[in-house]
């Protein structure tokens, strides 16, 4: 298996499984979450089998033959049956992840609007570590700043303290603008754009979710979107275990 497949096991050990109050909701990063809110079908694997066998006006032929068919469809890129299973997620994530989502144009997205709803004081992303710029990938990172030597620890602490101060000053200016009567659509100019958390609802068919996962669970994907992709894979695996097992095989 590629490294991102192996990370799935570590991800769920780290998270200690799902949130206790909702088996379809996972905490992500420092304040975010990922929640599966609609599946549109009782069994995604069954829906895929039904779509594939309708060409011969047939249905299920038993568990083993159905598994074999799903593996055959996956291996030979017969993708249309996978489009019959649709999943909808509620995602609460920092804005820095949104560009990775919106590049997948098959996703159907509705997002929170700062024009209607004021932002909360703690709705900003604070990373656990400051990653270092990769020397071989101009758009990627490699390693972390802290935990290597005292200078790196000091610089990492300075950046974290600076980011917290930046958030505090920005939010105070945002509140002041609202207090003075500025429109929400204008007051939000004071907010740190890439670090602010947004909530959105995203739906898509399973075929295109798998296209998304194949890119966003990869080793060179940005950490912030990769952890959401790993969580999404885990939720989808519970809903379509045969299909998602074939996906990573």
């Amino acid at each position: 298996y590629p490294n991102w497949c192996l990370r799935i096991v570590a991800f769920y050990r780290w998270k200690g499984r799902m949130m206790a109050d909702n088996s379809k909701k996972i905490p992500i990063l420092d304040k975010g979450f990922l929640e599966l809110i609609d599946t549109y079908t009782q069994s995604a694997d069954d829906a895929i089998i039904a779509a594939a066998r309708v060409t011969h006006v047939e249905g299920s032929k038993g568990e083993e033959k159905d598994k074999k068919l799903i593996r055959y469809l996956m291996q030979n890129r017969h993708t249309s049956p996978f489009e019959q299973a649709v999943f909808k997620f509620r995602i609460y994530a920092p804005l820095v992840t949104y560009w990775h989502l919106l590049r997948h144009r098959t996703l159907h997205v509705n997002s929170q609007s700062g024009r209607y709803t004021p932002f909360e004081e703690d709705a900003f992303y604070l990373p656990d570590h400051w990653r270092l710029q990769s020397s071989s990938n101009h758009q990627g990172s490699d390693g972390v700043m802290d935990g290597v030597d005292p200078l790196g620890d000091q610089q990492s602490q300075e950046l974290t303290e600076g980011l917290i101060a930046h958030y505090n000053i920005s939010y105070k200016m945002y509140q002041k603008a609202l207090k003075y009567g500025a429109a929400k659509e204008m007051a939000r100019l004071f907010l740190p754009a890439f670090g602010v958390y947004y909530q959105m609802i995203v739906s898509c068919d399973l075929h295109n979710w798998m296209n998304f996962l194949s890119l966003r669970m990869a080793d060179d994907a940005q950490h912030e979107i990769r952890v959401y992709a790993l969580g999404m894979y885990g939720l989808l695996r519970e809903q379509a275990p045969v299909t998602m097992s074939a996906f990573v095989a």
Side-chain angles (χ1 to χ4, degrees), residues 43-46 48-49 63-72 74 82 206 210 233 236-249:
S43 170
D45 287 333
D46 290 347
I48 293 163
I49 288 295
E63 182 177 349
E64 289 305 314
K65 288 187 176 181
D66 287 351
K67 286 183 179 179
K68 185 176 179 180
L69 175 58
I70 285 178
R71 288 194 295 267
Y72 174 84
M74 189 75 68
F82 299 111
L206 186 53
M210 289 188 288
Y233 171 84
L236 290 173
R237 188 180 177 95
E238 292 198 344
Q239 300 298 315
V242 177
T243 300
M244 299 313 293
S245 293
F247 169 62
V248 297

Side-chain angles (χ1 to χ4, degrees), residues 18-227:
M18 311 300 183
M19 286 182 171
D21 62 334
N22 187 340
S23 63
K24 296 180 181 179
K25 189 174 183 180
I26 301 174
I28 308 285
L29 297 177
D30 59 332
K31 303 178 183 72
F33 65 79
L34 174 70
E35 182 181 9
L36 179 63
I37 58 176
D38 208 335
T39 62
Y40 298 97
T41 181
Q42 289 184 337
S43 170
D45 287 333
D46 290 347
I48 293 163
I49 288 295
R53 294 200 191 279
V54 73
T55 55
H56 299 286
V57 196
E58 297 175 336
S60 173
K61 292 187 176 182
E63 182 177 349
E64 289 305 314
K65 288 187 176 181
D66 287 351
K67 286 183 179 179
K68 185 176 179 180
L69 175 58
I70 285 178
R71 288 194 295 267
Y72 174 84
L73 295 173
M74 189 75 68
Q75 292 168 1
N76 292 276
R77 300 182 182 275
H78 296 301
T79 59
S80 60
F82 299 111
E83 296 175 8
Q84 296 293 335
V86 178
F87 296 90
K88 181 189 292 185
F89 292 91
R90 184 183 301 273
I91 301 174
Y92 187 55
L95 191 63
V96 70
T97 67
Y98 274 42
W99 320 122
H100 303 278
L101 281 159
L102 296 179
R103 288 185 65 83
H104 296 264
R105 297 170 187 169
T106 55
L107 304 185
H108 304 284
V109 181
N110 288 95
S111 179
Q112 169 188 348
S113 172
R115 296 183 67 195
Y116 296 106
T117 305
F119 290 91
E120 297 179 3
E121 185 171 3
D122 63 346
F124 302 100
Y125 171 49
L126 194 65
D128 292 333
H129 302 280
W130 291 94
R131 299 188 300 277
L132 297 170
Q133 178 63 45
S134 171
S135 59
S136 59
N137 183 347
H138 295 302
Q139 65 177 7
S141 57
D142 184 16
V144 295
M145 187 178 298
D146 59 309
V148 178
D149 55 53
L151 178 60
D153 292 344
Q154 178 185 344
Q155 291 173 337
S156 178
Q157 183 177 351
E158 287 180 7
L159 291 178
T160 296
E161 291 173 353
L163 184 60
I164 292 172
H166 176 53
Y167 285 162
N168 289 337
I169 293 171
S170 298
Y171 192 75
K172 286 179 181 178
M173 290 303 301
Y174 171 71
Q175 286 184 309
K176 180 180 288 188
L178 293 177
K179 181 180 178 181
Y180 287 178
K184 296 184 186 71
E185 64 184 25
M186 295 295 297
R188 62 184 174 172
L189 293 173
F190 285 107
L191 297 175
F194 285 96
V196 66
Y197 270 89
Y198 270 80
Q199 188 170 155
M200 64 179 172
I201 290 177
V202 186
S203 64
C204 191
D205 64 78
L206 186 53
H207 166 57
N208 283 292
W209 275 130
M210 289 188 288
N211 287 340
F212 168 82
L213 294 178
S214 67
L215 291 174
R216 304 310 173 184
M217 292 198 304
D219 289 338
D220 60 351
Q222 184 171 329
H223 168 75
E224 283 77 15
I225 192 63
R226 188 165 61 226
V227 291

